[in-house]
Amino acid sequence: MEKNAKQVAGLFLAGLSTATVYLTFSRSAWLGLGIAILVGLLWARSQAALWKPLLVTLMTFALCSVGLPTGWQRGVYAAQGDKSVLNRLVSWSEFPTQLIRYPFGVTGEPADGINQDIRVGSVVNFYLDVGFQHGVLPFVLTLWLVGLLLRYVWRGGQQGSQAGIWGLGVIATAVCLVFMNPCWDLLASALWGGLWGMVSAMEVKPDATTRVHAD
C-alpha cells in the first residue's frame, strides 16, 4: 500500500511471511492464509493498491509449492485424509456436553471428580479450550473480544484504512487459532497480545480516522 522503498520492503515481507506459512506445513496456517486472501480480494475490488501484495502472496505460495524439493510431498500429504482431523472433530462435538457438566472449567475441579474419559489436556482449538479449561464466562468473553476485533477489522477494510489492511493478518490469525492451543503455545498468545496492542495504539492516536467506539 506504500510507495518507493516502503513498498519494496512491504512486498518482500509479504513474500517472506507467505513462504514461512508454507514451510511450517501447518494446515491451520494454510487455511488462515486462504481466508485472508479471499477477504483481501474482496476489498481489492475497490482498492486497486491491494492487488500487488495479494498477487505477490499467491505467487510466493505457488512457487514454494512447486519449486521446493518437498513441495509435492507436502501437497500430497495435505490432500490426504488425516486421523488427527477426525479426532479433533470428535473432541469438538463433545464440547457442549462438557461445558454443561463443568460450567466453571475442569481446572477448578478436583482430579478425582473428573471422569477419566474426558480429554483434560487440549482439544487443539483455542476458543473451545478456553471454555473447556476455564468455563462459560471466559469462553463467552473470548468470543466477544475476538468478534469485536474482527468487526473493527472489517469496518476498517471497507473504509480502505490502513487498519483494514493490517487486519488481514488478524483474520488469518483468528482462523489459525481454531486449530491451535495457546495454553501451551506462547506464540499464539503473543500474537493476540500484539493485535490488541495495535488496536489500543490506533484508539489513542489523535489523528486516527477509524475508532472502535465512535462515541
Side-chain angles (χ1 to χ4, degrees):
M1 298 295 288
E2 300 289 347
K3 295 181 179 180
N4 304 324
K6 288 186 177 181
Q7 185 183 59
V8 174
L11 291 175
F12 171 77
L13 290 175
L16 181 62
S17 60
T18 307
T20 302
V21 168
Y22 172 82
L23 292 172
T24 61
F25 191 39
S26 169
R27 286 160 301 187
S28 58
W30 287 13
L31 181 60
L33 175 68
I35 297 298
I37 288 178
L38 289 177
V39 175
L41 292 174
L42 179 65
W43 291 344
R45 295 184 303 173
S46 58
Q47 303 177 56
L50 261 178
W51 284 110
K52 186 178 292 185
L54 287 174
L55 289 176
V56 168
T57 301
L58 287 171
M59 290 176 59
T60 304
F61 189 84
L63 289 174
C64 289
S65 301
V66 176
L68 294 180
T70 58
W72 291 104
Q73 296 177 2
R74 291 174 182 267
V76 170
Y77 178 83
Q80 292 178 340
D82 192 333
K83 292 183 178 180
S84 66
V85 175
L86 180 59
N87 292 336
R88 292 180 188 182
L89 292 176
V90 172
S91 297
W92 297 352
S93 66
E94 299 173 355
F95 174 74
T97 302
Q98 303 302 340
L99 193 63
I100 294 174
R101 182 177 300 175
Y102 300 99
F104 300 103
V106 297
T107 54
E109 294 288 333
D112 56 357
I114 302 177
N115 295 339
Q116 295 297 322
D117 61 339
I118 296 179
R119 298 172 177 83
V120 296
S122 170
V123 295
V124 197
N125 181 313
F126 168 69
Y127 309 104
L128 299 187
D129 272 338
V130 170
F132 185 64
Q133 296 290 341
H134 306 290
V136 176
L137 291 180
F139 175 66
V140 173
L141 178 61
T142 299
L143 293 184
W144 179 76
L145 289 173
V146 173
L148 182 65
L149 187 59
L150 292 177
R151 177 174 174 269
Y152 174 76
V153 166
W154 180 256
R155 192 168 63 182
Q158 288 184 317
Q159 296 173 353
S161 68
Q162 291 291 335
I165 307 309
W166 153 81
L168 291 176
V170 178
I171 295 173
T173 302
V175 174
C176 284
L177 291 181
V178 174
F179 300 93
M180 295 177 66
N181 173 25
C183 294
W184 48 259
D185 194 321
L186 295 179
L187 174 60
S189 300
L191 279 174
W192 272 132
L195 296 178
W196 276 108
M198 288 288 293
V199 171
S200 300
M202 292 175 184
E203 275 291 290
V204 300
K205 188 177 179 181
D207 59 346
T209 57
T210 303
R211 299 180 180 276
V212 175
H213 305 291
D215 55 350

